[in-house]
Amino acid sequence: MTAVRGSSVDIPTPDGVADAYLAHPDDTAAHPGVLLYMDAFGIRPHLTAMADRLASSGYTVVVPNVFYRHGRTPVVELPEFIDPHQRPDLFERIGPIMRELTPERAVRDAGAYLEWLATRPEAANGPVGVTGYCMGAALAMRTAAAHPDRVAAVACFHGGNLATEDPDSPHRLVGHITAELYFGHADQDHALPPEQIERLNRALTEAGVRHRAEVYEGAAHGYTQADTASYDRDAAERHWTELLALFERTLGRGA
């Protein structure tokens, strides 16, 4: 594993300044860029550790605070470990913030994140990868659809509400996506029930999008997040295997 350097950075957007975490191999080379979209709990030690691990495989990774309109990280104070009893109170505060991140705002922000990443000397010229967790999976899909010329790979893990009946549901955008996609769905996920998985798969197939979708049997929504009770080590390691294989196949390695 390559040594990594991490730092806090600011990304200008049309609506303000998004604070973010940047991780890259600790050398002077330029590495393929990756945009990592947070889950609803935001940037915190666990998420920066995930960015570091991805960077150690030869990528320059940026994790924006997508809730920046409501303040810098931490937007909502979190316990060190999130158990099921704490979730209702946390989502009373997080829920309204999530709803204010409209698809229009998300796409506008995505352009700013990609433009900023393209200016960084740590990031190689060429296409980027995007990965998203929970709510971040929908953001990843919207980014790929809005910037097909920039995004070569998208990985979505335990994503929620990816194929609803809403007119702005992410699955309705797949015809604009040219990237290769991988989905690691959680088993019996309240945020993505079987009918949504079927609807998503059908839309991807009909649009001719290169993709693979798997349901991780026995894994709960949030299975990659080690600071929550949903964490599943085996499923999380499987996610790393699939994520790195996708990026190596589509982006190469900068290490």
Side-chain angles (χ1 to χ4, degrees):
M1 302 291 274
T2 302
V4 167
R5 179 178 297 177
S7 60
S8 296
V9 296
D10 286 340
I11 302 176
T13 80
D15 297 339
V17 176
D19 57 298
Y21 180 75
L22 178 69
H24 55 88
D26 190 10
D27 57 24
T28 58
H31 302 269
V34 172
L35 176 57
L36 190 159
Y37 279 119
M38 62 188 225
D39 63 351
F41 295 130
I43 301 175
R44 58 201 192 278
H46 167 68
L47 212 63
T48 59
M50 291 183 70
D52 288 349
R53 179 168 175 176
L54 183 52
S56 73
S57 290
Y59 301 98
T60 292
V61 185
V62 63
V63 189
N65 167 23
V66 302
F67 294 154
Y68 70 88
R69 292 175 180 86
H70 295 267
R72 298 180 70 86
T73 301
V75 177
V76 174
E77 292 290 343
L78 299 171
E80 289 187 11
F81 184 82
I82 302 167
D83 65 41
H85 301 293
Q86 297 163 319
R87 294 179 73 94
D89 288 340
L90 287 173
F91 274 98
E92 275 192 25
R93 289 175 280 163
I94 296 171
I97 298 173
M98 291 175 62
R99 288 189 288 273
E100 287 190 26
L101 184 58
T102 62
E104 294 77 17
R105 286 180 169 180
V107 169
R108 195 158 65 237
D109 289 345
Y113 302 150
L114 292 175
E115 182 178 349
W116 180 88
L117 188 57
T119 69
R120 297 295 300 194
E122 305 92 344
N125 293 327
V128 303
V130 185
T131 184
Y133 300 85
C134 301
M135 63 165 277
L139 299 178
M141 290 181 65
R142 295 190 191 283
T143 299
H147 300 277
D149 58 327
R150 291 280 289 130
V151 179
V154 175
C156 299
F157 298 98
H158 46 81
N161 300 312
L162 300 181
T164 70
E165 295 181 356
D166 293 342
D168 61 357
S169 174
H171 81 285
R172 301 186 190 278
L173 303 173
V174 297
H176 300 286
I177 295 176
T178 59
E180 181 178 344
L181 275 65
Y182 176 83
F183 296 88
H185 301 308
D187 190 18
Q188 300 182 22
D189 188 345
H190 66 282
L192 197 76
E195 59 268 24
Q196 284 200 40
I197 294 176
E198 181 181 352
R199 187 180 295 138
L200 175 61
N201 287 341
R202 185 168 60 249
L204 290 163
T205 299
E206 290 176 353
V209 178
R210 292 170 297 157
H211 73 282
R212 186 156 61 94
E214 299 181 303
V215 176
Y216 289 17
E217 185 176 353
H221 181 79
Y223 61 78
T224 61
Q225 305 301 301
D227 57 352
T228 77
S230 300
Y231 180 65
D232 182 314
R233 186 182 183 281
D234 289 343
E237 289 304 313
R238 179 179 174 184
H239 130 272
W240 281 114
T241 298
E242 297 295 347
L243 177 63
L244 293 173
L246 173 68
F247 284 170
E248 183 165 359
R249 187 164 60 248
T250 55
L251 306 177
R253 286 171 62 105

